[in-house]
């Protein structure tokens, strides 16, 4: 399973410590590969990221970075730097494990916040990539386990096409972060990772489902969520399968896939909602949704659809939204009507509803 958490941080730190200890007897004052920092400064940066990410979560930073930084004591050498990476990595892993689900803290990409799994993924990415930078300068190999690279890619780089034939998840991650090349792909400059979007919707919150979570849902798992009795419903699992298929086909676009509808009061997932894909050439995006039976009749779907529609219509590439509903599904027709959608000509014997910007 590719979901992110404290165990992934522990695994990445153990890998980094093993790689770095093998070159601890070399000169760490040389520049790390591809960076302007020395190897020792790069190690300090890894530890600083761990503490910084932990501080964002424990401080519940809402709209800025917590104003502090860490530095190695003067005279610290390679072995001491590795010990600091291990210690600070353990701090972040502990914070990730104990941060309540739903807590989000400031991080600029792409929407101003990330949850504990997002900070875990960023911490894993930082230690893997900067360990590579150090090892590259010192003439050592730093390739991590493939499943660890796949977990980072599926969480932070959902926009990156899957590993091509002849490549590995590690070479794909290096390409995705401007550190390597892949046959048939232009250099990715600039590069940026993606943290899942979260949209408030009254009593519920829409949480973007990562490809990793979608794979788990499609396979019968929970997607890392706590579900209401009877959930997730069949439509949510089918939508997760669509995200998974699009991801492996290289056509998945972040924010235009599946969202979990999560009850804000207790962080219980009650359904799924999202898009059938990005807007088409005319700027139309099709929406779909379902709720577990135990969550119906409470207005959750209507509030979630209003929020998701408002967000989508605020995007410059969107000109309209479409919902196609079976004629017998009167409850779903009521949801779109209450959310402001209007009846359109039928589509293949199904009722169609549309919404345009005000």
């Amino acid at each position: 399973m590719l979901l992110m958490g404290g165990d992934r941080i522990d695994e990445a730190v153990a890998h980094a410590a093993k790689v770095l200890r093998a070159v601890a007897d070399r000169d760490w004052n040389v520049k790390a590969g591809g960076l302007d920092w020395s190897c020792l400064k790069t190690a300090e940066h890894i530890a600083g990221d761990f503490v910084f990410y932990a501080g964002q979560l424990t401080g519940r930073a809402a709209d800025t970075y917590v104003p502090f930084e860490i530095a190695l004591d003067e005279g610290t050498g390679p072995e001491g730097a590795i010990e600091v990476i291990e210690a600070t990595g353990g701090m972040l892993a502990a914070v990730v494990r104990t941060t309540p689900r739903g807590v989000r803290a400031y991080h600029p990409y792409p929407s101003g916040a990330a949850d504990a799994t997002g900070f875990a993924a960023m911490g894993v990415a930082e230690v893997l990539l900067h360990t590579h930078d150090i090892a590259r300068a010192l003439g050592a190999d730093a390739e991590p386990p493939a499943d660890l690279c796949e977990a980072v890619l599926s969480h932070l780089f959902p926009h990156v096409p899957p590993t091509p034939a002849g490549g590995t998840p590690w070479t794909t991650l290096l390409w995705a972060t401007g550190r390597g090349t892949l046959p048939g792909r232009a250099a990715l400059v600039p590069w940026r990772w993606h943290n899942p979007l979260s949209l408030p919707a009254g009593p519920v919150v829409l949480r973007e489902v990562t490809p990793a979570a979608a794979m788990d849902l499609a396979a019968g798992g929970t997607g890392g969520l706590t579900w209401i009795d009877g959930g997730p419903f069949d439509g949510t699992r089918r939508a997760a399968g669509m995200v998974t298929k699009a991801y492996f086909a290289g056509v998945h676009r972040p924010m235009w896939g599946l969202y979990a509808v999560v009850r804000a009061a207790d962080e219980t997932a009650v359904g799924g909602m999202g898009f059938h894909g990005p807007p088409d050439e005319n700027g139309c995006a099709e929406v779909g949704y379902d709720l577990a039976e135990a969550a119906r009749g409470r207005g959750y779907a209507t509030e979630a659809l209003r929020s998701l529609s408002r967000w989508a219509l605020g995007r410059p590439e969107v000109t309209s939204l479409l919902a196609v509903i079976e004629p017998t599904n009167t409850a779903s027709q009521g949801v779109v009507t209450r959310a402001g959608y209007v009846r359109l000509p039928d589509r293949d014997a199904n009722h169609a509803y549309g919404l345009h910007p005000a």
Side-chain angles (χ1 to χ4, degrees):
M1 189 164 60
L2 301 181
L3 300 179
M4 273 291 173
D7 290 351
R8 289 293 187 186
I9 298 170
D10 289 341
E11 184 182 358
V13 169
H15 161 77
K18 180 179 180 180
V19 170
L20 296 177
R21 283 202 167 94
V23 293
D25 59 341
R26 302 179 193 178
D27 182 7
W28 282 38
N29 291 312
V30 300
K31 283 188 177 181
L35 303 177
D36 289 331
W37 300 325
S38 71
C39 292
L40 198 61
K41 185 68 177 178
T42 302
E44 181 184 75
H45 174 79
I46 296 170
D49 279 336
F50 284 154
V51 175
F52 164 68
Y53 292 157
Q56 291 298 96
L57 286 169
T58 57
R60 306 293 195 264
D63 54 14
T64 189
Y65 295 122
V66 177
F68 75 100
E69 59 182 304
I70 73 163
L72 299 176
D73 286 346
E74 186 174 352
T76 299
E79 180 57 37
I82 296 167
E83 291 174 357
V84 173
I85 288 173
E86 291 175 315
T88 53
M91 292 177 190
L92 177 58
V95 168
V96 165
R97 290 187 177 104
T98 56
T99 297
R101 185 173 288 160
V103 168
R104 291 174 67 84
Y106 175 77
H107 192 280
Y109 307 133
S111 57
D115 64 5
T117 61
F119 281 105
M122 290 186 285
V124 171
E126 291 283 358
V127 70
L128 295 185
L129 294 167
H130 287 314
T131 294
H132 161 78
D133 297 334
I134 296 170
R136 176 182 167 191
L138 301 179
D141 177 53
E143 181 168 352
D147 65 332
L148 198 53
C149 300
E150 289 174 347
V152 173
L153 287 167
S154 63
H155 196 104
L156 292 180
F157 299 93
H159 51 289
V160 169
T163 300
T168 67
W170 177 231
T171 58
T172 302
L173 182 57
L174 291 177
W175 174 82
T177 56
R179 288 171 166 82
T181 60
L182 285 176
R185 294 189 191 178
L188 195 60
V189 179
W191 64 271
R192 183 165 290 176
W193 54 47
H194 174 86
N195 274 302
L197 189 63
S198 180
L199 300 172
V204 294
V205 181
L206 287 155
R207 299 266 167 73
E208 184 183 1
V209 174
T210 66
M215 292 177 216
D216 188 56
L217 280 169
T222 66
L225 299 163
T226 298
W227 286 88
I228 195 170
D229 290 344
F233 210 58
D234 292 344
T236 298
R237 293 204 187 277
R238 287 195 299 270
M242 292 170 59
V243 170
T244 301
K245 183 178 179 180
Y247 176 67
F248 284 112
V251 297
H252 174 66
R253 295 295 175 267
M255 304 184 294
W256 296 106
L258 174 64
Y259 291 74
V261 180
V262 178
R263 197 161 56 197
D266 59 4
E267 284 297 311
T268 298
V270 298
M273 181 173 290
F275 304 97
H276 290 196
D280 63 20
E281 63 274 10
N282 297 315
C284 179
E286 185 175 348
V287 298
Y289 50 87
D290 76 352
L291 291 183
E293 290 184 2
R296 295 173 186 174
R298 294 173 171 81
Y300 295 157
T302 299
E303 289 297 326
L305 185 57
R306 284 173 179 159
S307 179
L308 187 66
S309 301
R310 186 165 51 248
W311 172 82
L313 291 176
R315 305 283 297 183
E317 66 269 37
V318 176
T319 59
S320 65
L321 298 175
L322 173 69
V324 179
I325 304 170
E326 294 178 352
T328 57
N329 193 346
T330 56
S332 187
Q333 293 165 29
V335 169
V336 293
T337 301
R338 289 190 294 273
Y341 286 65
V342 298
R343 184 74 181 272
L344 301 174
D346 287 353
R347 303 284 181 96
D348 297 326
N350 289 319
H351 292 180
Y353 295 80
L355 185 65
H356 291 77

